[in-house]
Amino acid sequence: TVTGVQTCALPIFDRTTDWKLFRYSTEGARTILGALAGSMLTFIVFVLSATLIVVQLAAGQLTPRVIGIIFAMPRVKIILGLFTFTFTFTLAALARVEERVPDLHVGVAVILNLLCMMTFFLFVQLLSNGLRPTALMRIVADKGRKVIELAYPMAYNPDRPESTRRAETVSSPVQVVEFTGRSGIVQAFSIPALSRRAREAGAVIEVIPQVGDFIAIGDPLLRVSGGARTIPVNELWGCVAIGAERTLEQDPRFAFRILVDIASRALSPGINDPTTAVQALDQIHHLLLDVGRRQLDDGLVHDREGNLRLVFGCPDWTDYVVLAAAEIRQYGQGSLQVTRRLRAMLEHLLEVLPEPRRQPLREELALLG
């Protein structure tokens, strides 16, 4: 991008208009651009170092699982990208200063450096506000709600039973695909791609680990049952994403996991911050309410003719309730406000959710005492 601007757009514009912004001499242009380039390099190193330190402190106080979310924020990427672009552009402008001073190049470089200085103060404010516990938990909850909406687009229907059992699978697999890559976490898999390959082969594909599960070398990843032909292993591997850590892409439980970790760490003896745990429960409450009002996936995908083509494991409503309440109940037993907030959450969910959703809530409420 910088090369294209320097070699195409700006030279043509400079020759056409012959604008003069600052009218630097040759020596003056080299001096100012050299000083700006050196200062910007130091500035980038300082900003990156300070950002890493602040993020590490926030991760130590809350949970390490927020690091990836922070660096994935678009504002952070845009601002750091602006700093890097400005540094590269300044170097490129310095290289063009010869007998004739490209005044437009020098002027744009100076303006970009001034813009970076102003952006830095905005970046400090955004980072300081964004790394507060309440702001981070709100970001996690907002992302969690989007994932829940994508994973469970339909409203809860009491007339449609929910089941994650794999009763329809063929009992005798003809092909078991073992994982041979680097051990990691199942981050996502392509339902349309796997369904299409199963339909073309006349088979049923079963994804053995759930999204968010750890898988090691040699573990079974996929099981193919029936079918008129064998599906190439490379095609099946390309449909499953394995990474170093969990992501929110297809894993609604991960949003709960992050918030529960924040609450658990806040309730540890070393931190002893029950107010942060209560704030985490506020977000967990709304996420659990959102899940409870939606029809959970049964993990069974059929083709247009009604034939089963894909089976995968899904968390049920009990899994969500236990994940949201059990650990916080255990670690918050000695905190009056945590126990009170957890009880209020369970009682409210019992009141507003339909009857088939209430039994796991009653069990957690009974354990709360």
Side-chain angles (χ1 to χ4, degrees):
T1 303
V2 177
T3 304
V5 172
Q6 290 279 9
T7 58
C8 299
L10 277 181
I12 295 174
F13 194 73
D14 190 18
R15 289 193 299 268
T16 303
T17 61
D18 197 29
W19 279 6
K20 302 295 183 182
L21 298 179
F22 298 105
R23 300 183 182 276
Y24 287 112
S25 63
T26 302
E27 188 63 29
R30 287 174 179 166
T31 302
I32 189 67
L33 290 177
L36 289 176
S39 300
M40 183 54 62
L41 179 60
T42 305
F43 192 57
I44 291 174
V45 173
F46 170 76
V47 170
L48 288 175
S49 301
T51 302
L52 289 173
I53 292 173
V54 172
V55 170
Q56 290 291 341
L57 290 174
Q61 182 182 4
L62 300 175
T63 173
R65 276 153 286 282
V66 301
I67 296 178
I69 295 176
I70 294 172
F71 283 109
M73 295 170 61
R75 291 177 295 183
V76 175
K77 292 182 177 180
I78 291 172
I79 292 174
L80 294 178
L82 174 62
F83 293 164
T84 306
F85 175 84
T86 301
F87 171 69
T88 309
F89 186 93
T90 304
L91 284 180
L94 178 60
R96 287 182 170 273
V97 177
E98 297 174 349
E99 294 183 0
R100 177 186 178 275
V101 177
D103 196 85
L104 188 59
H105 292 73
V106 178
V108 172
V110 172
I111 292 173
L112 283 174
N113 279 268
L114 293 175
L115 179 62
C116 286
M117 293 179 188
M118 293 185 292
T119 306
F120 171 70
F121 296 105
L122 176 63
F123 178 69
V124 171
Q125 181 180 4
L126 290 175
L127 195 64
S128 59
N129 292 334
L131 292 183
R132 292 181 302 171
T134 52
L136 272 177
M137 288 186 284
R138 188 180 300 114
I139 292 172
V140 173
D142 290 342
K143 291 181 177 292
R145 274 187 282 272
K146 293 179 182 179
V147 176
I148 290 170
E149 183 178 355
L150 292 174
Y152 312 124
M154 300 177 59
Y156 178 71
N157 183 4
D159 297 328
R160 179 183 174 184
E162 294 176 340
S163 174
T164 57
R165 296 180 180 178
R166 306 182 179 189
E168 296 186 48
T169 58
V170 179
S171 57
S172 56
V174 298
Q175 183 182 4
V176 177
V177 178
E178 295 183 351
F179 180 65
T180 59
R182 180 179 296 180
S183 300
I185 304 296
V186 179
Q187 295 178 335
F189 58 87
S190 175
I191 294 177
L194 288 172
S195 302
R196 182 173 62 254
R197 284 165 174 76
R199 185 182 67 253
E200 292 171 353
V204 178
I205 297 177
E206 180 181 2
V207 182
I208 299 175
Q210 293 189 25
V211 173
D213 288 349
F214 177 81
I215 186 168
I217 299 174
D219 288 345
L221 177 62
L222 301 169
R223 184 182 295 122
V224 182
S225 302
R229 66 178 180 86
T230 300
I231 305 176
V233 175
N234 291 336
E235 293 184 6
L236 295 174
W237 280 343
C239 299
V240 183
I242 309 293
E245 59 183 3
R246 294 173 71 174
T247 64
L248 286 167
E249 184 177 355
Q250 289 185 3
D251 192 359
R253 289 183 299 174
F254 190 45
F256 287 90
R257 179 74 270 162
I258 295 173
L259 294 171
V260 169
D261 285 353
I262 293 175
S264 299
R265 181 162 297 198
L267 294 172
S268 64
I271 297 179
N272 192 22
D273 184 11
T275 301
T276 298
V278 170
Q279 292 171 342
L281 275 171
D282 292 339
Q283 302 297 338
I284 292 172
H285 184 174
H286 286 90
L287 286 179
L288 205 57
L289 184 63
D290 197 9
V291 174
R293 288 173 171 171
R294 295 179 179 273
Q295 188 75 25
L296 302 185
D297 202 336
D298 56 7
L300 304 175
V301 179
H302 299 78
D303 58 18
R304 296 179 180 178
E305 290 74 28
N307 300 314
L308 180 66
R309 294 304 180 195
L310 181 64
V311 180
F312 54 92
C314 298
D316 57 17
W317 171 243
T318 302
D319 294 333
Y320 281 107
V321 173
V322 173
L323 174 60
E327 294 181 27
I328 299 178
R329 168 174 49 79
Q330 176 184 353
Y331 296 126
Q333 288 179 352
S335 174
L336 178 61
Q337 60 176 317
V338 172
T339 303
R340 182 171 53 197
R341 181 64 185 89
L342 187 56
R343 182 183 301 276
M345 179 187 78
L346 295 172
E347 289 176 347
H348 178 257
L349 294 173
L350 279 169
E351 180 181 351
V352 300
L353 292 181
E355 179 59 35
R357 292 279 193 244
R358 295 177 181 175
Q359 183 56 34
L361 299 171
R362 293 192 186 100
E363 293 176 358
E364 285 296 327
L365 190 60
L367 293 172
L368 189 60

